[in-house]
Amino acid sequence: GWMLLAIAVSIFVPKNSKLLWFLRAHFNRNKDSKTESGKYASYCANALEKCVVNGARSAKPSRMEVLSILLKNPHHHSLPHAVPVHMLNGTYHVVGFDGSTTISEFLQTLNLDIGCRGIELSGFTIFSDDPIEKNMDHCLSQKDKVCDVISRWETALREKGSGKFENKRVIRFTYKNRMFWRRSTPGETEKERLLFCYQISHQIVEGRFPLNKELAFELSALMAQIDIGDLTTDKGRCSSAGSNILSEALDKFYPVRYQESASQEEKDLLELSLAEKWRGLAGKSVTDCVRILLTCTRKWQFFGATLFEVQANSDSKEIWLAINEDGVSLLDHTTMQVSERYPYPSIVTFGGCQEDFM
């Protein structure tokens, strides 16, 4: 009974004031730090009050939420649930939350833990993966509840499997930049700058950043120095596991389009060129490399913009749709030169989702 109440009190607020008064009185009467049921009552009392403040939920409890309550007494933890939030540099940070925690509160906790500013200054926020489409992320609404997001994700996954649930799959939260504001650059933290480097590096690898092969080597070497450190003689050789550091760095940081049709001999030459640039950075600190990379990449007018690969209605030609703080721009798919520019005041209507342009 107490387990059921522990789940229910975070889902909806009783509309009847008498029932709300009764629940409060019941929880307060049964609070006891020495018994299991008393601990559940204490948790339920706190969870009910937070639900009253943050409002009712919009989705049913997720499998993860139910298991978390069933497997451990929530009173034993300051927050009953926890999930990892993945960073673009390959690390992750575990963040706790309860049934009423909003994405905004979840993000504030994460920012405080890792040393980043709020979304209104840094532009960094939480994304979730899509349960069906690969390589697709969804920016989460700040007003949404974390548990509702997880519940909807699990429901979509279950519907995809015709009612069967994939136990091995769980929602993946990612922390990355959604919108870059030039005015906020002076107050950047070291963590923000580092994560921005990895985000720009991902864009470079995917061909969403204009650069020639020579500049690509320079930036790839900087990212390798940031990610791995100095390239020593033993790092350039094959390790006991059979992996080649240079080959891995090339695959991870060098644009795919410059490698796609390369023969093995040409790839060996690419690795030698990367090694030369990389060794030239020996002794450079992560902070120095981050500063150099950002100074270079920020010269592009669309630095920090989000690029979408789209087709023009007129000739079905592939182009880039660039969204940044100034407006919407159309870029040539090959040269990435601007063909059209539309400031936000000139946009009268849009095919947005749920009346939200972003």
Side-chain angles (χ1 to χ4, degrees):
W2 281 111
M3 288 182 180
L4 180 61
L5 274 174
I7 296 171
V9 289
S10 294
I11 298 174
F12 53 82
V13 181
K15 293 181 180 179
N16 188 303
S17 58
K18 291 182 179 179
L19 177 58
L20 181 60
W21 175 88
F22 174 79
L23 284 172
R24 283 171 169 160
H26 180 63
F27 295 150
N28 288 328
R29 188 185 310 117
N30 287 278
K31 280 183 183 180
D32 188 351
S33 60
K34 296 178 182 179
T35 64
E36 283 297 300
S37 60
K39 291 174 182 177
Y40 270 107
S42 296
Y43 169 78
C44 289
N46 294 331
L48 177 63
E49 296 309 320
K50 186 163 184 183
C51 188
V52 169
V53 174
N54 283 8
R57 295 255 296 275
S58 61
K60 61 187 178 184
S62 66
R63 179 176 181 273
M64 187 218 77
E65 183 182 2
V66 172
L67 286 175
S68 182
I69 295 293
L70 292 178
L71 295 175
K72 59 188 179 184
N73 191 320
H75 179 73
H76 294 159
H77 308 269
S78 56
L79 294 166
H81 318 299
V83 291
V85 179
H86 297 267
M87 310 289 162
L88 294 185
N89 63 346
T91 63
Y92 66 88
H93 191 87
V94 177
V95 183
F97 60 98
D98 59 32
S100 296
T101 301
T102 62
I103 293 296
S104 176
E105 293 169 338
F106 186 79
L107 181 60
Q108 287 173 16
T109 302
L110 176 62
N111 284 333
L112 193 62
D113 289 347
I114 66 175
C116 289
R117 297 171 299 170
I119 184 176
E120 67 283 350
L121 292 175
S122 71
F124 279 87
T125 188
I126 306 290
F127 291 75
S128 75
D129 65 334
D130 190 279
I132 301 169
E133 296 290 335
K134 289 185 177 180
N135 303 318
M136 180 185 287
D137 286 338
H138 300 280
C139 182
L140 303 178
S141 168
Q142 297 293 297
K143 295 178 181 178
D144 222 339
K145 307 285 197 313
V146 179
C147 284
D148 284 340
V149 171
I150 296 171
S151 176
R152 288 195 292 267
W153 189 94
E154 288 185 359
T155 300
L157 183 66
R158 191 179 293 109
E159 289 172 353
K160 174 201 170 189
S162 302
K164 296 178 181 178
F165 192 82
E166 298 179 44
N167 292 333
K168 293 181 180 179
R169 284 202 62 190
V170 292
I171 191 170
R172 181 184 175 92
F173 290 114
T174 306
Y175 182 76
K176 58 184 180 180
N177 188 274
R178 186 193 189 196
M179 180 67 81
F180 170 70
W181 292 284
R182 285 184 289 270
R183 68 179 186 277
S184 298
T185 302
E188 282 178 328
T189 67
E190 287 297 318
K191 189 72 172 183
E192 290 169 26
R193 292 168 65 83
L194 176 65
L195 294 177
F196 229 133
C197 284
Y198 279 91
Q199 190 155 335
I200 293 300
S201 177
H202 284 194
Q203 291 179 356
I204 290 172
V205 171
E206 294 168 357
R208 297 170 186 265
F209 202 96
L211 74 177
N212 55 32
K213 289 184 179 181
E214 184 64 23
L215 181 56
F217 277 124
E218 298 278 359
L219 298 182
S220 298
L222 282 166
M223 282 307 304
Q225 182 71 10
I226 290 169
D227 195 64
I228 302 168
D230 290 347
L231 177 64
T232 56
T233 305
D234 60 314
K235 280 184 180 177
R237 305 276 181 234
C238 289
S239 67
S240 57
S243 63
N244 186 298
I245 296 296
L246 279 170
S247 179
E248 289 177 4
L250 198 70
D251 290 340
K252 192 173 182 181
F253 302 120
Y254 195 68
V256 172
R257 69 178 185 274
Y258 292 148
Q259 302 183 62
E260 283 177 329
S261 57
S263 64
Q264 187 56 51
E265 186 179 347
E266 289 172 326
K267 281 195 173 183
D268 290 340
L269 290 174
L270 289 176
E271 288 179 17
L272 287 173
S273 298
L274 176 61
E276 182 185 353
K277 299 289 185 184
W278 191 353
R279 288 195 179 98
L281 296 170
K284 289 280 187 185
S285 67
V286 171
T287 303
D288 286 339
C289 291
V290 166
R291 176 180 50 78
I292 295 167
L293 191 143
L294 289 179
T295 300
C296 177
T297 53
R298 278 178 172 160
K299 291 177 182 177
W300 187 39
Q301 61 178 318
F302 291 105
F303 172 89
T306 300
L307 268 62
F308 298 93
E309 206 168 13
V310 298
Q311 280 189 338
N313 282 332
S314 54
D315 53 9
S316 297
K317 185 180 178 182
E318 285 191 338
I319 57 174
W320 292 111
L321 181 72
I323 312 290
N324 66 0
E325 63 177 329
D326 299 320
V328 179
S329 304
L330 304 182
L331 315 181
D332 182 87
H333 196 268
T334 305
T335 65
M336 304 193 86
Q337 293 295 315
V338 182
S339 58
E340 298 285 348
R341 203 187 293 265
Y342 304 97
Y344 289 121
S346 70
I347 300 174
V348 178
T349 186
F350 59 90
C353 175
Q354 298 174 354
E355 301 301 318
D356 184 357
F357 177 73
M358 298 305 290

